[in-house]
Amino acid sequence: MSRDRYVDFLRAWAIVLVVLGHWLITALVREPGGQITAPELLAVVPWTQWLTLAFQIMPLFFLAGGHAAGGSWSRARAAGGKAAGWLGRRALRLLLPVGAYSGLVLLAVGVCSAAGVDADTLALVGWAMAMQFWFLPVYLLLSALTPLLYAAHRRWGLLVPSAAGAVALAVDVLVVTAHVPYAGLLNYVLVWGVAYQLGFCWRDGLLTGRRLVPFAMAAGGGVAFAALVALGPFPVSLILVTGQTTSNTNPPSAAMLAWVVAQVGLCLLAAPPVRRLLDREPVWRVVRPVGAASMTLYLWHMLPVLAVAAAFYLTGLAPEPGLGSAAWWGLRVPWLLILGVVLAGVVSALGPLERGLVVLHERTSPDAGLRRAWPLWLGLAMSVAALARLAVQGFAPDGRFPVLPAVGLASGTALVMLTRWTAAPRLDRPSGARAPGRV
């Protein structure tokens, strides 16, 4: 089956908007003492919370991920592959670049800590470099559950995301009314899992067989979101804002679930004209490399902010009009352009590392059959726990080196890589067939 260009476009579009959104709302201020602070634009200028409606695009990333995973798992299963082997390859595709990124950042944290860099500054930088990590443990969990989720999809179809959404609503009631915060952890998998499961449904034609379905999703989800914001306890902001007692993302709320449904509906409505546009080779030649570099862009996009902060703010060269003023917004244009140029340079410089990771992936990815799968599952559990902790605390909590998350991520990734050497010879060859390299 040929790749769906629209699915690749959605991943690229989601990453680009995440990067631009983070850059747009990042505000830097040089204090009289010379230290750099980062006031929270969404809290200081409340109307900017409406901008998150345009930049909270992660539902589409999970939707595209579900679409791609459903097709990949179907093909692997048809070829006789096992869940552990399939998952190992997909997990390493994420863990290897994340491990390389984390290793380099942790090395810098260790050097800066030993050099006596101010703890508060180090903690802020460590948080900025890990702010995007919340997505990784959720995506790894959904990937691990894909064989079960896809089996449920094949049996019950749209009832699966409907049931997951209903449970997510019940969980959110507990969080908002009974103040049971830990129950909300389930909604990271349930709400984003709805988008992931809808990717299965989209791929198998359950969302596009009737023309009214995308309209109903877009309109129904949009109306539900507006009602929950206007009449309920939920803020309009689709990312966490300091001082708000109820958040739409921490954990994902009923309003975020409504936004997922609305955004998926809009995505389906936009598919035909965008596909026609992507069929034009000049357009596709622009989109394809962005999609190919999506993980690099996602992981490294805050490094240019630190570089520009050091070059222009620490030196006092950057003009600093009032936060949210007309002059401040006018300076967002050169700010975004400079960050884009720096990020392009970072991506170019990382080319040899990216190519090395591709080779490493091919040399360490497990085969279809595994003699023992326990290293994979243990490694995934350790990696998910380590990434979740880094997402919450950053790379330098309280200015300290995060020993346990660093060891957990390194050990977890190594265990997943070790599954290649626990792989058994393929047993699904026809009778009389020869194993490769054997007589």
Side-chain angles (χ1 to χ4, degrees), residues 9 36 38 71 151 205 271 283-284 294 333:
F9 163 78
I36 303 299
V283 175
W284 181 238
S294 60
V333 176

Side-chain angles (χ1 to χ4, degrees), residues 16 32 38-39 118 150 180 191 201 207 235 267 313 341 353 355 357 378 381 418:
V16 167
D118 175 68
Y150 195 73
V180 186
V191 172
C201 298
L207 300 180
C267 163
Y313 284 85
V341 170
L353 175 61
R355 291 188 289 273
L357 291 177
L378 178 59
L418 283 174

Side-chain angles (χ1 to χ4, degrees), residues 5-281:
R5 289 184 174 185
Y6 186 54
V7 175
D8 290 342
F9 163 78
L10 289 179
R11 278 193 288 241
W13 180 246
I15 292 300
V16 167
L17 281 187
V18 166
V19 171
L20 289 178
H22 284 166
W23 287 353
L24 183 66
I25 66 173
T26 297
L28 300 177
V29 173
R30 186 176 188 272
E31 300 293 342
Q35 67 271 29
I36 303 299
T37 59
E40 190 175 352
L41 178 67
L42 300 183
V44 177
V45 187
W47 72 261
T48 58
Q49 295 176 29
W50 287 92
L51 296 177
T52 64
L53 300 183
F55 289 100
Q56 179 50 274
I57 206 77
M58 292 310 289
L60 296 188
F61 199 93
F62 283 99
L63 175 75
H67 188 290
S72 174
W73 170 237
S74 294
R75 293 188 293 273
R77 186 182 59 174
K82 304 297 183 182
W86 175 83
L87 176 59
R89 294 188 68 86
R90 290 187 71 84
L92 279 179
R93 198 173 296 146
L94 186 149
L95 286 174
L96 288 176
V98 170
Y101 170 82
S102 299
L104 291 171
V105 174
L106 288 169
L107 176 62
V109 168
V111 170
C112 291
S113 180
V117 172
D118 175 68
D120 291 337
T121 300
L122 196 56
L124 177 62
V125 171
W127 170 82
M129 296 299 284
M131 63 183 294
Q132 70 274 38
F133 268 31
W134 71 267
F135 158 80
L136 302 173
V138 179
Y139 198 81
L140 276 174
L141 278 173
L142 290 172
S143 295
L145 293 171
T146 293
L148 293 176
L149 294 175
Y150 195 73
H153 159 74
R154 292 293 298 270
R155 183 167 184 176
W156 294 297
L158 284 168
L159 289 177
V160 180
S162 300
V167 176
L169 291 176
V171 169
D172 203 36
V173 169
L174 288 176
V175 172
V176 174
T177 62
H179 305 291
V180 186
Y182 289 106
L185 293 176
L186 291 172
N187 271 3
Y188 282 99
V189 175
L190 290 170
V191 172
W192 299 119
V194 167
Y196 193 79
Q197 199 81 27
L198 288 173
F200 299 160
C201 298
W202 177 29
R203 178 184 177 273
D204 290 346
L206 299 182
L207 300 180
T208 54
R210 299 179 180 178
R211 293 184 178 181
L212 289 179
V213 171
F215 285 100
M217 294 180 69
V223 169
F225 176 81
L228 288 166
V229 171
L231 305 176
F234 302 101
V236 71
S237 176
L238 290 172
I239 67 174
L240 180 65
V241 178
T242 300
Q244 291 182 347
T245 56
T246 302
S247 168
N248 285 325
T249 55
N250 189 29
S253 67
M256 178 59 78
L257 178 61
W259 191 251
V260 166
V261 174
Q263 202 167 89
V264 170
L266 291 173
C267 163
L268 299 177
L269 292 173
V274 176
R275 279 197 172 106
R276 288 193 294 271
L277 188 63
L278 293 172
D279 284 338
R280 301 177 181 177
E281 287 305 314

Side-chain angles (χ1 to χ4, degrees), residues 372-405:
R372 295 190 306 273
W374 67 264
L376 171 69
W377 302 111
L378 178 59
L380 277 177
M382 294 175 67
S383 300
V384 166
L387 290 170
R389 187 160 180 176
L390 288 171
V392 173
Q393 298 182 342
F395 280 108
D398 300 321
R400 295 176 288 103
F401 187 89
V403 177
L404 287 179

